[in-house]
Amino acid sequence: LTIHLPASIRANLDARTGDGNISMGFPVTVSGSLRSNSIHGQINGGGQEITLQTGDGSIQVVKR
């Protein structure tokens, strides 16, 4: 799963994968624990919720 987001986006991110990794093109302020297959945090100070989830495969968040 790949998602392209504008550089100026303000969002709360919740990303999880059952069998894969998460690659971030943004700095993220993490809340809770950081693991290779799940992340919960804020992009650019937070804002609306973005939820990404896949059971099998990696997640890539790309800055455009």
Coordinates of all heavy atoms in Angstrom, one line a residue:
L1 N 0.9 -1.2 0.0 CA 0.0 0.0 0.0 C 0.9 1.2 0.0 O 1.8 1.4 0.9 CB -0.9 0.0 1.2 CG -1.7 1.2 1.5 CD1 -2.8 1.5 0.5 CD2 -2.4 1.1 2.9
T2 N 0.7 2.1 -1.0 CA 1.5 3.3 -1.1 C 0.5 4.5 -1.1 O -0.4 4.5 -1.9 CB 2.4 3.4 -2.3 OG1 3.3 2.3 -2.2 CG2 3.2 4.7 -2.4
I3 N 0.7 5.5 -0.3 CA -0.1 6.7 -0.3 C 0.8 7.9 -0.4 O 1.9 8.0 0.2 CB -0.9 6.8 1.0 CG1 -1.9 8.0 1.0 CG2 -0.1 6.8 2.2 CD1 -2.9 8.0 2.1
H4 N 0.4 8.8 -1.3 CA 1.2 10.1 -1.5 C 0.4 11.2 -0.9 O -0.8 11.4 -1.2 CB 1.3 10.3 -3.1 CG 2.1 9.3 -3.8 ND1 3.4 9.5 -4.1 CD2 1.7 8.1 -4.2 CE1 3.9 8.4 -4.7 NE2 2.9 7.5 -4.8
L5 N 1.1 12.0 0.0 CA 0.4 13.1 0.7 C 1.2 14.4 0.5 O 2.4 14.3 0.3 CB 0.4 12.7 2.2 CG -0.3 11.5 2.7 CD1 -0.1 11.2 4.2 CD2 -1.8 11.6 2.4
P6 N 0.5 15.5 0.4 CA 1.2 16.8 0.3 C 2.1 17.1 1.5 O 1.8 16.7 2.6 CB 0.0 17.8 0.2 CG -1.2 17.1 0.7 CD -1.0 15.6 0.6
A7 N 3.2 17.8 1.2 CA 4.1 18.1 2.3 C 3.5 18.9 3.4 O 4.0 18.8 4.6 CB 5.3 18.9 1.7
S8 N 2.5 19.7 3.2 CA 1.9 20.5 4.2 C 0.8 19.9 5.0 O 0.2 20.5 5.9 CB 1.3 21.8 3.5 OG 0.3 21.4 2.6
I9 N 0.5 18.6 4.7 CA -0.6 18.0 5.4 C -0.4 17.9 7.0 O 0.7 17.8 7.4 CB -0.9 16.5 4.9 CG1 -2.2 16.0 5.4 CG2 0.3 15.6 5.3 CD1 -2.7 14.8 4.7
R10 N -1.5 18.1 7.7 CA -1.5 18.0 9.2 C -2.4 16.8 9.5 O -3.6 16.9 9.1 CB -1.9 19.3 9.8 CG -1.0 20.5 9.5 CD -1.6 21.8 10.1 NE -1.8 21.7 11.5 CZ -0.9 22.1 12.5 NH1 0.2 22.6 12.1 NH2 -1.3 22.0 13.7
A11 N -1.9 15.8 10.1 CA -2.7 14.6 10.2 C -2.3 13.8 11.4 O -1.1 13.8 11.8 CB -2.7 13.7 9.0
N12 N -3.2 13.0 12.0 CA -2.9 12.0 13.0 C -2.9 10.7 12.2 O -3.9 10.4 11.5 CB -4.0 11.9 14.1 CG -4.0 13.2 14.9 OD1 -3.0 13.8 15.2 ND2 -5.2 13.5 15.3
L13 N -1.8 10.0 12.3 CA -1.7 8.8 11.5 C -1.7 7.5 12.4 O -1.1 7.4 13.4 CB -0.3 8.8 10.8 CG 0.1 7.6 10.0 CD1 -0.8 7.5 8.7 CD2 1.5 7.6 9.6
D14 N -2.5 6.5 11.9 CA -2.6 5.2 12.5 C -2.4 4.2 11.4 O -3.2 4.0 10.5 CB -3.9 5.0 13.2 CG -4.0 3.7 13.9 OD1 -3.0 3.0 14.1 OD2 -5.1 3.3 14.3
A15 N -1.2 3.6 11.3 CA -0.8 2.7 10.3 C -0.4 1.3 10.9 O 0.3 1.3 11.8 CB 0.3 3.2 9.4
R16 N -1.0 0.2 10.3 CA -0.7 -1.1 10.8 C -0.6 -2.1 9.6 O -1.4 -2.0 8.7 CB -1.8 -1.6 11.7 CG -1.9 -0.7 12.9 CD -3.1 -1.2 13.8 NE -3.2 -0.2 14.9 CZ -4.3 -0.2 15.7 NH1 -5.2 -1.0 15.5 NH2 -4.3 0.7 16.6
T17 N 0.3 -3.0 9.7 CA 0.4 -4.1 8.8 C 0.6 -5.4 9.5 O 1.3 -5.4 10.5 CB 1.5 -3.8 7.7 OG1 1.6 -5.0 6.8 CG2 2.9 -3.6 8.4
G18 N 0.0 -6.4 9.0 CA 0.1 -7.7 9.7 C 1.4 -8.4 9.4 O 2.0 -9.1 10.2
D19 N 1.9 -8.3 8.1 CA 3.1 -8.9 7.7 C 3.8 -8.0 6.7 O 3.6 -8.1 5.5 CB 2.8 -10.2 7.0 CG 4.0 -11.0 6.6 OD1 5.1 -10.8 7.2 OD2 3.9 -11.9 5.7
G20 N 4.5 -7.0 7.2 CA 5.2 -6.1 6.3 C 5.9 -5.0 7.2 O 5.9 -5.1 8.4
N21 N 6.4 -4.0 6.6 CA 7.0 -2.9 7.2 C 6.3 -1.6 6.9 O 5.6 -1.5 5.9 CB 8.5 -2.8 6.8 CG 9.3 -3.9 7.3 OD1 9.2 -4.3 8.5 ND2 10.1 -4.5 6.4
I22 N 6.6 -0.5 7.6 CA 6.1 0.8 7.3 C 7.2 1.7 7.0 O 8.2 1.8 7.8 CB 5.3 1.3 8.5 CG1 4.1 0.4 8.8 CG2 4.8 2.8 8.3 CD1 3.3 0.7 10.0
S23 N 7.2 2.4 5.9 CA 8.2 3.4 5.5 C 7.5 4.8 5.4 O 6.5 5.0 4.8 CB 8.7 3.0 4.1 OG 9.6 4.0 3.6
M24 N 8.1 5.7 6.2 CA 7.6 7.1 6.3 C 8.5 8.1 5.5 O 9.7 8.1 5.8 CB 7.4 7.5 7.7 CG 6.5 6.7 8.5 SD 4.8 6.9 8.0 CE 4.6 8.7 8.1
G25 N 7.9 8.9 4.7 CA 8.6 10.0 4.1 C 8.4 11.3 4.8 O 8.8 12.4 4.3
F26 N 7.8 11.3 6.0 CA 7.5 12.4 6.9 C 8.1 12.2 8.2 O 8.1 11.1 8.7 CB 6.0 12.6 7.1 CG 5.3 13.1 5.9 CD1 4.7 12.3 5.0 CD2 5.0 14.5 5.8 CE1 4.0 12.7 4.0 CE2 4.3 15.0 4.7 CZ 3.8 14.1 3.8
P27 N 8.6 13.3 8.9 CA 8.8 13.1 10.4 C 7.5 12.9 11.1 O 6.5 13.5 10.8 CB 9.5 14.4 10.8 CG 9.6 15.2 9.5 CD 8.9 14.6 8.4
V28 N 7.5 12.0 12.0 CA 6.3 11.7 12.8 C 6.6 11.8 14.3 O 7.6 11.2 14.7 CB 5.8 10.2 12.4 CG1 4.5 9.9 13.3 CG2 5.4 10.1 11.0
T29 N 5.7 12.5 15.0 CA 5.8 12.5 16.4 C 5.0 11.3 16.9 O 3.8 11.3 16.8 CB 5.2 13.8 17.0 OG1 5.9 14.9 16.4 CG2 5.3 13.8 18.5
V30 N 5.7 10.3 17.5 CA 5.1 9.0 17.8 C 4.5 9.1 19.2 O 5.1 9.7 20.1 CB 6.1 7.9 17.7 CG1 5.5 6.6 18.2 CG2 6.6 7.8 16.3
S31 N 3.3 8.5 19.4 CA 2.7 8.3 20.7 C 2.6 6.8 21.0 O 2.2 6.1 20.1 CB 1.4 9.0 20.8 OG 0.5 8.6 19.8
G32 N 3.1 6.4 22.1 CA 3.1 5.0 22.4 C 4.4 4.3 21.9 O 5.4 5.0 21.7
S33 N 4.3 3.1 21.6 CA 5.5 2.3 21.2 C 5.7 2.4 19.7 O 4.7 2.5 18.9 CB 5.5 0.9 21.7 OG 4.4 0.2 21.2
L34 N 6.9 2.3 19.2 CA 7.2 2.3 17.8 C 7.7 0.9 17.4 O 8.6 0.4 18.0 CB 8.3 3.3 17.5 CG 8.8 3.4 16.0 CD1 7.6 3.9 15.1 CD2 9.9 4.4 16.0
R35 N 7.0 0.3 16.4 CA 7.4 -1.0 15.9 C 7.4 -0.9 14.4 O 6.9 0.0 13.8 CB 6.4 -2.1 16.4 CG 6.3 -2.2 17.9 CD 5.4 -3.3 18.3 NE 4.1 -3.3 17.6 CZ 3.0 -3.7 18.1 NH1 2.9 -4.2 19.3 NH2 1.9 -3.7 17.3
S36 N 8.1 -1.9 13.8 CA 8.3 -1.9 12.3 C 6.9 -2.1 11.6 O 6.8 -1.8 10.5 CB 9.3 -2.9 11.9 OG 8.8 -4.2 12.2
N37 N 5.9 -2.7 12.3 CA 4.7 -3.0 11.6 C 3.5 -2.2 12.1 O 2.4 -2.4 11.7 CB 4.4 -4.5 11.7 CG 4.1 -5.0 13.1 OD1 4.4 -4.3 14.1 ND2 3.5 -6.1 13.3
S38 N 3.7 -1.2 13.0 CA 2.6 -0.3 13.4 C 3.2 1.0 13.9 O 4.3 1.1 14.5 CB 1.7 -0.9 14.5 OG 2.4 -1.0 15.7
I39 N 2.4 2.1 13.6 CA 2.9 3.4 14.1 C 1.6 4.2 14.3 O 0.6 4.2 13.6 CB 3.8 4.1 13.0 CG1 4.3 5.4 13.6 CG2 3.1 4.3 11.7 CD1 5.4 6.0 12.7
H40 N 1.6 5.0 15.4 CA 0.5 5.9 15.7 C 1.2 7.2 16.1 O 2.0 7.2 17.1 CB -0.3 5.4 16.8 CG -1.5 6.3 17.1 ND1 -2.6 6.3 16.3 CD2 -1.7 7.2 18.1 CE1 -3.5 7.2 16.8 NE2 -2.9 7.8 17.9
G41 N 0.9 8.3 15.4 CA 1.5 9.6 15.7 C 1.0 10.7 14.9 O 0.0 10.6 14.2
Q42 N 1.7 11.8 15.0 CA 1.2 13.1 14.3 C 2.2 13.5 13.2 O 3.4 13.4 13.4 CB 1.1 14.2 15.3 CG 0.1 14.0 16.4 CD 0.1 15.2 17.4 OE1 1.0 15.9 17.5 NE2 -1.1 15.3 18.0
I43 N 1.7 13.9 12.1 CA 2.4 14.5 11.0 C 2.2 16.0 11.0 O 1.0 16.4 11.1 CB 2.0 13.9 9.7 CG1 2.2 12.4 9.6 CG2 2.7 14.6 8.5 CD1 1.7 11.7 8.4
N44 N 3.2 16.8 11.1 CA 3.1 18.3 11.1 C 2.2 18.8 12.2 O 1.4 19.7 12.0 CB 2.7 18.8 9.7 CG 3.7 18.6 8.7 OD1 4.9 18.6 8.9 ND2 3.3 18.3 7.4
G45 N 2.3 18.2 13.4 CA 1.5 18.7 14.5 C 0.1 18.1 14.7 O -0.6 18.3 15.6
G46 N -0.3 17.2 13.8 CA -1.6 16.5 13.9 C -2.7 17.2 13.2 O -2.6 18.4 12.8
G47 N -3.8 16.5 13.0 CA -5.0 17.1 12.4 C -6.0 16.0 12.1 O -6.2 15.2 13.0
Q48 N -6.5 15.9 10.9 CA -7.5 14.8 10.7 C -6.9 13.5 10.7 O -5.7 13.3 10.5 CB -8.3 15.1 9.4 CG -7.6 14.9 8.1 CD -8.5 15.2 7.0 OE1 -8.7 16.4 6.7 NE2 -8.9 14.2 6.2
E49 N -7.7 12.5 11.0 CA -7.2 11.1 11.1 C -7.0 10.4 9.8 O -7.9 10.5 8.9 CB -8.2 10.3 11.9 CG -7.8 8.9 12.3 CD -6.8 8.9 13.5 OE1 -6.8 9.8 14.3 OE2 -6.1 7.9 13.6
I50 N -5.9 9.8 9.6 CA -5.6 8.9 8.5 C -5.3 7.5 9.0 O -4.4 7.3 9.8 CB -4.4 9.4 7.6 CG1 -4.7 10.8 7.0 CG2 -4.1 8.4 6.6 CD1 -3.5 11.4 6.3
T51 N -6.1 6.5 8.6 CA -5.9 5.2 9.0 C -5.5 4.3 7.8 O -6.2 4.3 6.8 CB -7.2 4.6 9.7 OG1 -7.6 5.4 10.8 CG2 -7.0 3.2 10.2
L52 N -4.4 3.6 8.0 CA -3.9 2.7 6.9 C -3.7 1.4 7.5 O -3.1 1.2 8.5 CB -2.6 3.2 6.3 CG -2.6 4.7 5.8 CD1 -1.1 5.1 5.5 CD2 -3.4 4.8 4.6
Q53 N -4.3 0.3 6.8 CA -4.1 -1.0 7.4 C -4.1 -2.0 6.3 O -4.8 -1.9 5.3 CB -5.4 -1.3 8.3 CG -5.2 -2.6 9.0 CD -6.3 -2.8 10.1 OE1 -7.1 -1.9 10.3 NE2 -6.4 -3.9 10.6
T54 N -3.2 -3.0 6.4 CA -3.1 -4.1 5.5 C -2.7 -5.3 6.2 O -2.0 -5.3 7.2 CB -2.0 -3.8 4.3 OG1 -2.0 -4.9 3.4 CG2 -0.7 -3.6 4.9
G55 N -3.3 -6.4 5.8 CA -3.0 -7.7 6.5 C -1.7 -8.3 6.0 O -1.0 -9.0 6.7
D56 N -1.4 -8.1 4.7 CA -0.2 -8.7 4.1 C 0.5 -7.8 3.2 O -0.1 -7.4 2.1 CB -0.6 -10.0 3.4 CG 0.6 -10.8 2.9 OD1 1.7 -10.6 3.5 OD2 0.5 -11.5 1.9
G57 N 1.6 -7.2 3.5 CA 2.3 -6.3 2.7 C 2.7 -5.0 3.5 O 2.3 -4.8 4.6
S58 N 3.6 -4.3 2.8 CA 4.2 -3.1 3.5 C 3.3 -1.9 3.2 O 2.5 -1.8 2.3 CB 5.6 -2.9 3.0 OG 6.4 -3.9 3.4
I59 N 3.5 -0.8 4.0 CA 2.9 0.5 3.8 C 4.0 1.5 3.6 O 4.9 1.5 4.4 CB 2.0 0.8 5.1 CG1 0.9 -0.1 5.3 CG2 1.5 2.3 5.0 CD1 0.1 0.0 6.6
Q60 N 3.8 2.3 2.6 CA 4.7 3.4 2.3 C 4.0 4.7 2.2 O 3.0 4.8 1.4 CB 5.4 3.1 1.0 CG 6.5 4.1 0.6 CD 7.2 3.8 -0.7 OE1 6.7 3.0 -1.5 NE2 8.3 4.4 -0.9
V61 N 4.4 5.7 3.1 CA 3.8 7.0 3.0 C 4.8 7.9 2.4 O 6.0 8.1 2.9 CB 3.5 7.5 4.5 CG1 2.9 8.9 4.4 CG2 2.5 6.5 5.1
V62 N 4.5 8.5 1.3 CA 5.4 9.3 0.4 C 5.0 10.8 0.5 O 3.8 11.1 0.3 CB 5.4 8.8 -1.0 CG1 6.3 9.7 -1.9 CG2 5.7 7.4 -1.1
K63 N 5.9 11.7 0.7 CA 5.7 13.1 0.6 C 5.8 13.6 -0.8 O 6.7 13.3 -1.5 CB 6.8 13.9 1.5 CG 6.5 15.3 1.6 CD 7.7 16.1 2.2 CE 8.0 15.6 3.6 NZ 9.0 16.5 4.3
R64 N 4.8 14.4 -1.2 CA 4.9 14.9 -2.6 C 4.9 16.4 -2.6 O 4.7 17.1 -1.7 CB 3.8 14.4 -3.5 CG 2.4 14.8 -3.1 CD 1.4 14.3 -4.1 NE 0.1 14.4 -3.4 CZ -0.9 15.2 -3.9 NH1 -0.8 15.7 -5.0 NH2 -2.0 15.2 -3.2

